[in-house]
């Protein structure tokens, strides 16, 4: 059997692979502390569950329009207005099967063979794979400072072939948060170009220091060039519901993305759409506050513990998301080996930084209980101390 060269070029998601390995060990009865999860450990808010159950009981099992029901599209517009004072029409937003799918549709619709896509490292694992699949060329830029691309670094990476900048704020895996001034400086570099910004703002509500600013809200120019990508997996603890969305002012792009979706998935799950409405319009704000408070406590504890381990370095305290991106290069610059040994010796699962485009680092997700965080980082400390 012959297979598609395009698909054969895709890498397995390293985060999903490590999570699966840790799960397998657990199924074999081994006690594993997993820091690999990219999902909140909190249950989905009750109001969301009730909306899903009601939708089922109300018989909402039919196809919906491709981009979503009027209710969910209006709810996305309400969210963007409420949180960022952004005005979008329902025709300018599309509901997708998670933000991964929103990104996929946008990249497929925008990228022609050989187009360059600027991706600051460390990056979320999926970006380069989706770009390669579209025929584009990922241009990885490793920022010198604080895991954030500067205006000068962006300027230096732009060529006549540059099509897109993917900007993930706050970042998975580093937790870095761009200030308004930093975003403005990037937006200024893009003025006068036709470069599109894919603003992946999945973790916007999980910010512990500083203030989140949506890229599209920076200026009229930024609004026109931005495709906002967002979803409910992280901030609303709904990863399994698979709800993401895109928002763009570009009519042609929206049409192409809808056509692609129409030929691939049709509409997204009708029950998920109904469940997303209360989450988008603000009915779970209290639940989000509760999760954020707990994440902040865990982040502070985890940072304090990692900082006290001789050999590991947390160069920047993460301001958002639920990850720490830790430098292990003075213990072992081979982060894949470091993580594999850590899992074998101490049964602690972490994700190697090279999957995120930065070797010599590893990622911890603190979307797990405080007990696990304390026990797991104590084991990491022992591991580092004993490392040969
Ligand atoms: C930065 C970032 N963007 C997008 C996603 C996709 O999330 P989902 O497809 O669950 O909405 C993730 C998930 O890990 C992520 O970390």
């Amino acid at each position: 059997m012959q297979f598609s060269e395009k698909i054969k070029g895709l890498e397995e998601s390293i985060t999903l692979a490590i999570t699966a390995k840790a799960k397998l060990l657990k199924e074999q009865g081994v006690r594993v502390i997993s820091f690999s999860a990219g999902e909140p450990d909190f249950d989905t808010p009750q109001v969301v569950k009730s909306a899903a159950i009601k939708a089922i009981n109300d018989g909402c099992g039919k196809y919906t329009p491709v981009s979503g029901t009027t209710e969910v599209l209006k709810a996305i517009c309400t969210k963007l207005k409420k949180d960022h004072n952004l005005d979008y029409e329902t025709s300018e937003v599309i509901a997708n099967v998670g933000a991964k799918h929103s990104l996929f549709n946008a990249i497929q619709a925008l990228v022609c063979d050989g187009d360059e896509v600027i991706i600051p490292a460390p990056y979320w694992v999926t970006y380069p794979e989706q770009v390669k699949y579209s025929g584009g060329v990922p241009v990885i830029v490793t920022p010198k400072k604080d895991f954030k691309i500067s205006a000068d670094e962006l300027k230096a990476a732009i060529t006549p072939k540059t099509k897109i900048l993917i900007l993930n704020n706050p970042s998975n895996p580093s937790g870095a948060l761009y200030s308004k001034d930093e975003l403005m400086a990037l937006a200024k570099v893009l003025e006068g170009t036709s470069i599109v910004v894919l603003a992946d703002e999945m973790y916007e509500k999980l910010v512990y220091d500083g203030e989140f600013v949506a890229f599209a809200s920076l200026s009229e120019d930024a609004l026109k060039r931005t495709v906002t990508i967002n979803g409910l997996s992280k901030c609303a603890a709904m990863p399994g519901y698979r709800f993401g969305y895109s928002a763009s002012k570009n009519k042609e792009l929206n049409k192409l993305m809808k056509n692609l979706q129409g030929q691939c998935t049709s509409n997204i799950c009708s029950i998920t759409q109904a469940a997303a409405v209360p989450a988008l319009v603000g009915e779970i704000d209290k639940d989000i506050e509760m999760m954020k408070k707990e994440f902040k406590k865990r982040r502070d504890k985890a940072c304090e513990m990692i900082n006290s381990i001789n050999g590991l370095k947390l160069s920047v305290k993460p301001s958002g998301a639920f990850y720490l991106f830790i430098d292990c290069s003075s213990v072992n610059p081979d982060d894949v080996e470091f993580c594999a040994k850590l899992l074998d010796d101490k049964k602690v699962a972490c994700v190697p930084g090279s999957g995120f485009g930065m070797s010599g680092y590893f990622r911890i997700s603190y979307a797990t209980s405080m007990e696990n965080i304390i026990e797991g980082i104590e084991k990491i400390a022992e591991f580092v101390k004993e490392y040969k």
Side-chain angles (χ1 to χ4, degrees):
M1 204 176 279
Q2 280 216 317
F3 298 103
S4 148
E5 290 302 325
K6 231 172 152 182
I7 305 282
K8 282 196 288 183
L10 287 182
E11 304 274 346
E12 183 186 16
S13 160
I14 194 159
T15 38
L16 296 184
I18 298 265
T19 309
K21 189 169 174 194
K23 202 164 163 236
L24 194 71
L25 279 170
K26 278 184 192 167
E27 280 165 9
Q28 290 163 357
V30 180
R31 178 166 151 65
V32 176
I33 296 185
S34 182
F35 288 138
S36 63
E39 62 183 347
D41 52 319
F42 299 102
D43 195 8
T44 305
Q46 188 54 49
V47 64
V48 171
K49 294 185 194 173
S50 303
I53 292 164
K54 181 169 183 316
I56 293 170
N57 288 332
D58 288 354
C60 111
K62 303 278 193 282
Y63 287 130
T64 77
V66 168
S67 56
T69 60
T70 305
E71 292 73 26
V72 85
L73 298 179
K74 278 189 179 161
I76 296 169
C77 296
T78 302
K79 188 260 168 233
L80 290 163
K81 180 72 181 167
K82 174 174 83 68
D83 291 347
H84 308 303
N85 199 26
L86 288 167
D87 290 298
Y88 283 96
E89 308 281 333
T90 51
S91 59
E92 296 171 327
V93 297
I94 307 173
N96 311 111
V97 188
K100 199 176 248 182
H101 183 215
S102 315
L103 268 167
F104 183 81
N105 285 354
I107 290 172
Q108 293 301 315
L110 282 163
V111 173
C112 306
D113 278 354
D115 280 351
E116 293 178 356
V117 177
I118 298 176
I119 306 175
Y123 48 73
W124 180 47
V125 290
T126 293
Y127 301 142
E129 298 310 310
Q130 290 199 355
V131 169
K132 282 189 274 170
Y133 182 76
S134 70
V137 180
V139 175
I140 309 301
V141 177
T142 305
K144 283 215 167 57
K145 209 169 148 246
D146 299 347
F147 301 126
K148 291 190 270 192
I149 188 169
S150 68
D152 285 344
E153 287 165 335
L154 174 59
K155 212 183 288 174
I158 293 173
T159 76
K161 287 189 172 171
T162 306
K163 185 66 158 282
I164 299 176
L165 163 68
I166 301 185
L167 199 66
N168 176 211
N169 180 36
S171 150
N172 173 10
S174 75
L177 176 76
Y178 287 80
S179 69
K180 185 169 182 180
D181 285 351
E182 288 164 340
L183 293 175
M184 289 292 257
L186 297 177
K188 195 109 200 100
V189 172
L190 300 175
E191 278 176 18
T193 73
S194 55
I195 297 169
V196 174
V197 175
L198 289 189
D200 179 343
E201 301 180 341
M202 276 302 281
Y203 296 88
E204 66 163 304
K205 289 187 186 276
L206 300 176
V207 168
Y208 318 109
D209 312 310
E211 196 195 339
F212 169 80
V213 177
F215 199 88
S217 71
L218 292 173
S219 64
E220 241 342 272
D221 183 84
L223 178 64
K224 280 195 208 135
R225 71 175 68 251
T226 301
V227 182
T228 299
I229 305 289
N230 211 326
L232 295 172
S233 297
K234 318 291 175 174
C235 302
M238 295 170 61
Y241 282 69
R242 310 305 301 128
F243 185 87
Y245 59 91
S246 62
S248 164
K249 286 283 162 191
N250 190 304
K251 275 198 177 60
E252 190 57 22
L253 174 64
N254 288 327
K255 187 170 152 248
L256 293 175
M257 286 171 66
K258 270 182 224 173
N259 287 351
L260 174 60
Q261 179 148 311
Q263 298 298 354
C264 292
T265 63
S266 299
N267 60 272
I268 72 162
C269 169
S270 55
I271 296 143
T272 289
Q273 293 185 54
V277 172
L280 289 162
V281 299
E283 289 183 38
I284 60 162
D285 287 357
K286 277 206 180 94
D287 303 85
I288 295 174
E289 253 337 283
M290 178 279 292
M291 289 190 260
K292 198 173 127 175
K293 240 167 120 179
E294 188 56 35
F295 279 138
K296 183 173 186 300
K297 267 195 250 162
R298 296 174 186 179
R299 177 202 64 160
D300 291 343
K301 183 69 186 169
C303 287
E304 180 199 311
M305 290 183 76
I306 292 291
N307 280 330
S308 71
I309 301 174
N310 228 338
L312 297 185
K313 205 166 82 198
L314 194 58
S315 41
V316 194
K317 187 173 185 183
S319 301
F322 40 66
Y323 309 103
L324 307 188
F325 200 57
I326 304 162
D327 183 345
C328 61
S329 58
S330 65
V331 181
N332 185 350
D334 183 341
D335 50 293
V336 176
E337 190 179 76
F338 178 93
C339 290
K341 273 186 85 162
L342 180 60
L343 185 55
D344 283 346
D345 293 4
K346 300 289 174 188
K347 306 292 176 271
V348 175
C350 297
V351 188
S354 42
F356 306 100
M358 213 176 249
S359 51
Y361 286 78
F362 67 103
R363 189 193 77 173
I364 277 186
S365 158
Y366 51 87
T368 184
S369 71
M370 190 65 106
E371 294 73 45
N372 278 349
I373 290 170
I374 294 172
E375 189 184 341
I377 301 182
E378 277 170 359
K379 288 187 176 185
I380 293 175
E382 275 170 30
F383 176 71
V384 169
K385 207 169 159 196
E386 296 159 5
Y387 204 88
K388 283 185 211 89

